Amino acid sequence: MFVHVLVYSKLAMWQTKIRIEMVKENRKTKKNYLEIDVKNDLLKSELDVNTSDMAIADTHRMGHGNSRQDSSSGDSADGSKPSRIRRLRRRLRLHSRRTSASHPQTSKILKEEDFAGIALIRIISAEMKFKDKWLACITLGEQTFRTHVSDQTDKPTWNSEKKLLLEKHGAHLARISVFETNRLSRNNLIGYCEVDLLEFLSQDCSSDTEVFDLLDPSSASTIVGRISISCCIEDPVETEKTFVRRILSIVDCNEDGELSLDEFSDLIDAFGNKLAAEKKEEIFKQADKNGDGVVSLDELATLLAIQNEKEPIINCCPVCGEVLEVSDGLNNMIHMTLCFDEGTGNQVMTGGFLTDKEASSGWMFKLSEWAHFSTFDIGLRSGSSASHILVYDRRKKRLVEEIIDRKIVLSMRAIYQSKFGLGLMDNGAKEILRSLSEKQGKKMDSAESAKEIPNFIEFFKDQINMDEVKYPLEQFKTFNEFFIRELKPSARPIAFVERDDIAVCAADCRLMAFNSVADSIRCWIKGRKFSIQGLLNEMCSSEFVNGALVIFRLAPQDYHRFHFPVSGTIEKFLELPGCLYTVNPIAVNSKYCNVFTENKRVVSIISTEHFGKVAFVAIGATMVGSINFSKKEGDYVRKGDEFGYFSFGGSTVICVFEKDSIRIDEDLLENSGRSLETLVSVGMQLGVSVKKQGNVKLPNLRNLSL
C-alpha cells in the first residue's frame, strides 16, 4: 500500500509539473491561444449541429423517432439558426474565464439597502527587498483569491484583477498578502497590507491606483516592501449597463461598435426568453432613433438596462446557466456581474479558497489533501478530522487560520479521536500529562526559558501584536512572565463601559455561544453526556440548567489574562480537581471524553443586578500548571476588570447565564450554529440583558443639541 501511495504521488507530481509548464507557455501566447480556442470551438459546434441534423434526418428516413421538432430549441428546417444560437452561447461561456470561487450572493438574498457596490480590485505590482518568485493573495470576508506566481525578481508584476461584492454592513477590509514561494517546502508570508474598500466609494475613479506599504507580519511597524493596487467601485446602475455592454460587444462580430437587428435577435434567442423574443424588434426600434437600421452599443445597453427593469430579458445566467428569479433584479445583476468577466487581457485571480494560507499552499498541500491527510473546511471537520482550524475574525470580518504545529495536531487526533488513544489516557497517561505539565511549568519559570520568547513570537507572527504589550520585551526574565504579559490600558476598550446591562467578552479567544446546552451539544460539544450539572458541580442551580452557555477558548498565542464579562459581586469560589486534557476543538469534538467536565477547573459565582447570577468557570488544560485569580470572595467588580490569568498553555473560560437573562449578539450565535468559532477580544460586546432591558431609559431627543 505504501509503495502504491509513493507511485501515485510521483505521478501526481509529474502531472502537476506538466500542467504548470503548459500554463506558463499559454500565458506567453495567451491572446493567440484564446483566438484559436474560440475558432476551434465554433467549428466544433457547427460540426456537432450538422452531425446532429444528419442523424435526425437518418432517423426520420428509417421511420424511427418523433417527427416533431422541439419548439423550445428554436431549430429551423435548414439547421442554420440553431448553429448561430449555439455559437453565441458558446462564445458567452468562452468569454468568461470562470474561477472555482462560489458567489456568496447566490446563497443569501442581499437587500437593496445593504448593497454598496461592486469593487474591481487589481493587484498590479510590488517592490520587495530581495529577489524571489512571488505570489499575492486578497482576502475579503470568507473568500480568498490568488494571483499567478511571478518570475524570479524583486519587482514582481501580476496585473491580476477580481470583482468583489461590497455590503454596507458586511466585510469591507480587504487583506493583501505577499508570499515568497518555495515549491520544495512551503510558501512564506513576507508582508501584508489592509485596504478599506469602502473608502474608494468617495474617490474619483480617475485616480484609483494607490501604493501601500507592506508590513512585516512579526512587527506592524516594520515595512518590508510596497505594493501597487488599483480599485474602483461601480454603482448598481453603472454595473448593469457595463454588464449589458460586455454581452453586446460579443455579438458585434465586425467590432464596429454597432449592432444590426439580426445580431441583436440572435442574442435574444440565445437568452431563451420567448416573451422578449416576441418584442425584440420593438425594443430594437426604440434604440434606433435615426432609423438607419443599426444602433451603437452604448445606446442599446442603456435601453436594455431600462427594459430589464420593466420586464427582465435575461431569465438565466448566460454564463453558468443558473435560473434567475424574475422578481429579484438586484441579486440577478450581482450574480451575472461576478459570474461574467470581460476578458480585458489581465490575469484574473484564481478563487475558491477560504484563507490566504490555503491559497498560498503549493503542491505538497494538494498532495496531502488528495491523500486525505489535510483539508480546509468550516465547521466540525476543522476540529475533528482536519489539520487546519479556521476561525472567524469578528473585528476584520474574515476567516483566519489558527496556527498550530502539525505534529501536535496529528498526536491530538491519535489520542482524542479514537477509543485506543483514550484507552491509553485511562491507563496512566493522565498522570503523565499532569506530571509533564508541572515540570513544564517549572521550566517556563526558569531564567533559561527567556530565550524561547523570540522563537515563540516568530512562530506566531501575525497573531501577536507586540505594540499592544505594556512592557518592552527585554523586561521579561522568564517565558512565563511573557506568557502572562499585560497589555496597555488602551489596547482593549470596553464596550459601553457605563452600561451594566451589556455583557462583554471575557478574554482574547475563540468564542462559541449558545442559547442552551442542547444547542451546544448539537453544534460543538461531542463528549459523553455533557451537562451543566457536571460542569458546575455543587454550584449548579435550576436556573443555570437551561441557561445560555458561552465558551471562551484561549490559544497559546493569545493574551492569557481573563476579565469579568459583567459587573457584580463575587459570591464564592469552588475548586474542582481533574485531568489536564487539551481544550483544542479536536478534543472538544471527541465523542470519547468530556474535556470541560473532566478537567481541573475553578467555578465562581457572580451576583449581578441585570443578569441574575452568572457562573464563571476557569478550566485548566495541557501545560497549564495553575489558574491564578486577582480577586477574592466578596469583591465588587466592574465588567472589563481583570479577574486572573492562566500559566503557560492554552485554556478555556466558560460562562453560564441564567435562563432568559441574556440576548447574545446574533453574529456570535450564527457563527456558532455553523460550528465556527469567532475570534474576539476582551471588552467586545457579548450580549444584552433581557431582564432589565425594559427599564433602560432612552435619551430625550428634544434636549439634544448639535
Side-chain angles (χ1 to χ4, degrees):
M1 181 65 185
F2 182 71
V3 175
H4 289 170
V5 171
L6 287 178
V7 171
Y8 283 118
S9 300
K10 207 156 191 176
L11 285 173
M13 289 163 54
W14 287 341
Q15 290 173 350
T16 303
K17 187 175 182 180
I18 292 171
R19 290 192 189 102
I20 292 172
E21 294 301 324
M22 290 175 66
V23 170
K24 287 181 178 179
E25 186 64 25
N26 284 343
R27 285 197 188 112
K28 296 178 181 178
T29 55
K30 178 171 45 182
K31 185 174 181 181
N32 294 335
Y33 274 109
L34 183 60
E35 291 175 355
I36 293 172
D37 287 343
V38 170
K39 291 177 182 178
N40 288 340
D41 281 297
L42 290 178
L43 289 172
K44 187 176 183 298
S45 71
E46 289 181 349
L47 181 61
D48 291 342
V49 172
N50 293 334
T51 305
S52 176
D53 291 342
M54 290 172 63
I56 293 173
D58 289 340
T59 304
H60 290 167
R61 282 196 297 270
M62 295 177 65
H64 299 290
N66 189 353
S67 61
R68 281 179 52 188
Q69 296 282 348
D70 185 1
S71 59
S72 63
S73 65
D75 291 345
S76 61
D78 60 3
S80 61
K81 193 166 186 177
S83 175
R84 293 169 66 183
I85 293 174
R86 289 189 185 184
R87 286 205 305 268
L88 285 173
R89 286 175 175 165
R90 292 189 66 84
R91 292 186 70 183
L92 285 170
R93 285 164 174 76
L94 283 170
H95 203 62
S96 168
R97 296 203 296 270
R98 294 289 309 280
T99 67
S100 60
S102 60
H103 302 312
Q105 76 281 358
T106 59
S107 60
K108 69 173 183 177
I109 302 300
L110 184 67
K111 296 180 180 179
E112 189 171 350
E113 59 268 21
D114 293 332
F115 178 52
I118 301 288
L120 174 62
I121 187 165
R122 180 180 301 159
I123 302 179
I124 303 172
S125 60
E127 294 182 6
M128 309 304 294
K129 293 187 176 180
F130 57 92
K131 291 185 177 182
D132 209 321
K133 293 183 177 180
W134 302 95
L135 168 72
C137 299
I138 177 171
T139 300
L140 182 71
E142 296 185 17
Q143 288 186 306
T144 296
F145 306 90
R146 56 170 282 176
T147 68
H148 62 281
V149 178
S150 73
D151 296 329
Q152 185 86 12
T153 179
D154 58 349
K155 296 181 179 179
T157 299
W158 297 288
N159 279 328
S160 295
E161 64 182 30
K162 189 64 187 177
K163 284 196 170 181
L164 304 171
L165 169 64
L166 286 183
E167 301 176 50
K168 292 179 182 176
H169 303 292
H172 57 87
L173 191 64
R175 175 187 168 103
I176 314 293
S177 306
V178 177
F179 294 82
E180 62 167 341
T181 62
N182 187 333
R183 297 295 179 182
L184 295 178
S185 57
R186 59 176 180 150
N187 299 328
N188 298 315
L189 176 64
I190 299 300
Y192 76 96
C193 67
E194 293 184 337
V195 182
D196 192 336
L197 298 182
L198 287 183
E199 290 184 357
F200 282 91
L201 283 171
S202 58
Q203 294 183 4
D204 186 2
C205 282
S206 61
S207 58
D208 57 1
T209 301
E210 289 192 25
V211 178
F212 295 87
D213 291 332
L214 289 171
L215 307 179
D216 188 335
S218 302
S219 175
S221 59
T222 304
I223 298 174
V224 296
R226 308 187 79 192
I227 189 166
S228 297
I229 298 171
S230 169
C231 181
C232 60
I233 310 295
E234 292 179 349
D235 61 30
V237 176
E238 183 59 33
T239 296
E240 190 165 12
K241 287 182 180 179
T242 303
F243 172 73
V244 175
R245 195 179 297 118
R246 290 175 193 156
I247 296 180
L248 293 175
S249 66
I250 299 174
V251 190
D252 182 19
C253 298
N254 56 4
E255 299 182 353
D256 61 354
E258 295 179 332
L259 290 185
S260 65
L261 176 59
D262 288 340
E263 290 173 328
F264 177 68
S265 298
D266 288 341
L267 181 64
I268 296 297
D269 291 336
F271 289 153
N273 189 328
K274 295 181 180 179
L275 189 61
E278 295 174 359
K279 299 182 179 180
K280 56 190 176 186
E281 292 188 22
E282 177 185 342
I283 298 171
F284 186 82
K285 288 179 180 179
Q286 292 179 18
D288 186 15
K289 296 182 179 180
N290 59 3
D292 62 353
V294 293
V295 294
S296 68
L297 296 182
D298 289 340
E299 290 175 336
L300 198 52
T302 303
L303 181 66
L304 283 176
I306 297 173
Q307 177 66 27
N308 213 44
E309 289 293 326
K310 299 177 182 177
E311 187 177 326
I313 295 175
I314 305 175
N315 290 341
C316 67
C317 178
V319 180
C320 69
E322 181 175 331
V323 177
L324 304 176
E325 293 292 336
V326 176
S327 59
D328 191 3
L330 172 65
N331 284 276
N332 292 346
M333 181 270 298
I334 294 173
H335 171 93
M336 290 186 292
T337 299
L338 297 181
C339 198
F340 191 95
D341 182 80
E342 62 182 318
T344 58
N346 294 322
Q347 172 71 26
V348 180
M349 298 185 200
T350 304
F353 307 104
L354 295 174
T355 69
D356 58 357
K357 294 190 181 300
E358 180 189 10
S360 68
S361 299
W363 62 268
M364 281 292 288
F365 169 72
K366 293 181 176 65
L367 182 61
S368 65
E369 191 175 34
W370 170 79
H372 302 288
F373 290 126
S374 180
T375 185
F376 279 83
D377 204 354
I378 293 176
L380 283 178
R381 288 194 62 197
S382 66
S384 61
S385 63
S387 60
H388 302 272
I389 299 174
L390 303 184
V391 297
Y392 185 80
D393 189 326
R394 192 186 197 188
R395 179 183 290 110
K396 298 180 179 179
K397 297 183 179 180
R398 62 168 172 256
L399 290 173
V400 295
E401 180 185 352
E402 180 173 330
I403 300 175
I404 182 170
D405 190 281
R406 293 187 179 182
K407 296 187 292 293
I408 296 177
V409 171
L410 292 174
S411 62
M412 285 193 294
R413 286 168 62 181
I415 294 174
Y416 295 100
Q417 293 296 321
S418 67
K419 289 183 179 180
F420 177 76
L422 264 298
L424 293 177
M425 298 291 287
D426 292 334
N427 293 325
K430 292 180 182 178
E431 295 301 323
I432 295 175
L433 273 180
R434 184 178 292 107
S435 175
L436 180 63
S437 295
E438 292 175 356
K439 291 180 180 178
Q440 192 70 14
K442 293 179 180 178
K443 180 180 178 181
M444 292 304 167
D445 282 327
S446 67
E448 293 182 359
S449 65
K451 64 183 180 182
E452 299 295 331
I453 297 176
N455 296 333
F456 186 83
I457 296 174
E458 175 62 24
F459 185 78
F460 292 112
K461 68 179 180 180
D462 195 29
Q463 296 196 8
I464 297 178
N465 187 356
M466 292 303 300
D467 294 335
E468 296 177 339
V469 180
K470 186 175 182 180
Y471 301 109
L473 196 60
E474 55 271 14
Q475 190 161 332
F476 300 109
K477 303 304 180 185
T478 69
F479 184 87
N480 241 342
E481 287 184 9
F482 170 76
F483 191 78
I484 60 174
R485 60 193 176 275
E486 296 180 68
L487 301 182
K488 297 174 182 177
S490 59
R492 296 291 181 268
I494 307 301
F496 302 100
V497 66
E498 299 300 326
R499 289 185 55 178
D500 289 340
D501 62 320
I502 296 179
V504 298
C505 295
D508 283 13
C509 64
R510 294 96 176 96
L511 179 146
M512 298 292 284
F514 306 97
N515 282 323
S516 66
V517 174
D519 291 344
S520 69
I521 293 175
R522 185 182 72 253
C523 299
W524 191 243
I525 305 173
K526 301 301 179 184
R528 298 168 294 194
K529 298 180 181 179
F530 171 79
S531 66
I532 294 297
Q533 294 94 329
L535 177 69
L536 302 183
N537 204 281
E538 64 187 65
M539 294 282 212
C540 185
S541 63
S542 58
E543 289 82 2
F544 286 135
V545 173
N546 295 314
L549 185 75
V550 185
I551 304 170
F552 305 89
R553 179 177 69 87
L554 287 72
Q557 61 268 38
D558 290 328
Y559 163 66
H560 258 64
R561 293 175 181 264
F562 48 87
H563 296 243
F564 289 98
V566 293
S567 299
T569 302
I570 303 174
E571 286 193 355
K572 52 185 174 180
F573 287 93
L574 174 64
E575 186 171 345
L576 299 172
C579 308
L580 288 174
Y581 292 137
T582 178
V583 292
N584 189 280
I586 293 175
V588 176
N589 297 159
S590 171
K591 59 184 178 181
Y592 303 112
C593 67
N594 276 328
V595 172
F596 298 140
T597 58
E598 295 182 37
N599 270 23
K600 172 185 176 181
R601 60 199 183 278
V602 178
V603 182
S604 57
I605 301 296
I606 305 169
S607 180
T608 74
E609 176 186 357
H610 296 275
F611 298 94
K613 295 185 185 299
V614 178
F616 188 103
V617 186
I619 302 175
T622 306
M623 301 302 173
V624 178
S626 59
I627 306 170
N628 305 275
F629 293 92
S630 54
K631 301 291 183 182
K632 61 183 185 299
E633 290 183 7
D635 286 350
Y636 179 80
V637 297
R638 299 298 304 271
K639 69 175 184 182
D641 289 351
E642 183 186 310
F643 193 6
Y645 59 88
F646 293 108
S647 296
F648 174 67
S651 198
T652 290
V653 168
I654 295 181
C655 287
V656 184
F657 291 81
E658 292 182 349
K659 183 180 179 181
D660 299 328
S661 65
I662 186 173
R663 184 173 67 250
I664 298 173
D665 287 358
E666 193 61 35
D667 65 315
L668 302 177
L669 292 175
E670 183 179 342
N671 287 340
S672 301
R674 301 167 58 197
S675 299
L676 175 64
E677 293 176 294
T678 305
L679 186 64
V680 299
S681 301
V682 170
M684 282 187 177
Q685 181 172 314
L686 173 66
V688 181
S689 169
V690 175
K691 290 185 176 182
K692 296 293 182 178
Q693 191 66 14
N695 297 332
V696 177
K697 294 183 180 180
L698 297 176
N700 187 344
L701 298 180
R702 294 183 179 180
N703 297 332
L704 295 178
S705 60
L706 298 177

